[in-house]
């Protein structure tokens, strides 16, 4: 399997992470941990006997919790992979972080009437705004004017 070619200009690799890059990475880590907590919670609720779980005042089938666990696990793995790529300054990671933020915003709109929908919206918007800053984009490529040394 061929490997991806190395960056032509590695002189900017020693530039420290900007505050917006740290914020993006922190919010992405928070999102990853929240999805992991959702997967664990779904597995715990799946183990409850006889559909004893309630969601918004209604009994919920075990199928819901099983599917929820699978989806939360998949999203956790995707977020962890993107987090690793962003930490390593992969050039495509900036776009992936933005896409995950947009997915989070869309998901939050489906659950906006519940408290966690607002939390997902705030975190996703914060991650998107921080990730779109010039210094965060320069973090991935090392070529933004705000990241260059004098």
């Amino acid at each position: 399997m061929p490997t991806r070619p190395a960056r032509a200009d590695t002189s900017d690799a020693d530039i420290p992470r900007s505050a917006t890059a740290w914020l993006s990475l922190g919010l992405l880590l928070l999102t990853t941990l929240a999805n992991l907590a959702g997967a664990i919670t779904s597995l715990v609720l799946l183990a409850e006997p006889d559909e004893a779980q309630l969601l918004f005042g209604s009994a919920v089938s075990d199928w819901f919790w099983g599917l929820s666990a699978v989806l939360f696990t998949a999203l956790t793995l995707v977020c962890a992979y993107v987090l690793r790529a962003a930490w390593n300054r992969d050039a495509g990671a900036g776009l992936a972080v933005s896409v995950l933020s947009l997915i989070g915003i869309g998901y939050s709109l489906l659950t906006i009437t519940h408290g966690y929908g607002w939390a997902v919206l705030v975190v996703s918007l914060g991650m998107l705004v921080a990730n779109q800053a010039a210094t965060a984009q320069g973090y991935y490529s090392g070529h933004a004017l705000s990241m260059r040394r004098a």
Side-chain angles (χ1 to χ4, degrees):
M1 175 178 265
T3 59
R4 190 173 40 192
R7 256 187 236 159
D9 180 19
T10 58
S11 62
D12 293 328
D14 60 342
I15 295 174
R17 289 176 176 88
S18 66
T20 55
W22 277 113
L23 182 60
S24 293
L25 289 169
L27 291 173
L28 186 55
L29 178 63
L30 177 67
T31 301
T32 304
L33 294 175
N35 286 320
L36 179 62
I40 292 169
T41 302
S42 294
L43 288 174
V44 168
L45 291 172
L46 179 63
E48 291 288 322
D50 299 327
E51 299 177 3
Q53 323 86 349
L54 293 178
L55 183 64
F56 309 123
S58 301
V60 178
S61 170
D62 287 340
W63 284 99
F64 175 83
W65 298 118
L67 182 60
S68 177
V70 168
L71 294 176
F72 272 123
T73 301
L75 197 51
T76 299
L77 293 174
V78 168
C79 286
Y81 184 77
V82 170
L83 179 62
R84 191 192 89 199
W87 182 263
N88 292 329
R89 295 182 178 209
D90 190 352
L95 177 62
V97 171
S98 294
V99 168
L100 283 174
S101 299
L102 291 172
I103 290 170
I105 290 168
Y107 172 73
S108 72
L109 296 177
L110 296 174
T111 58
I112 202 74
T113 58
H114 310 292
Y116 66 91
W118 286 102
V120 172
L121 181 63
V122 168
V123 169
S124 296
L125 280 174
M127 188 165 49
L128 182 64
V129 169
N131 192 58
Q132 292 301 311
T135 52
Q137 291 300 311
Y139 163 74
Y140 299 115
S141 65
H143 299 294
L145 292 175
S146 58
M147 295 295 289
R148 290 189 183 168
R149 287 180 244 155

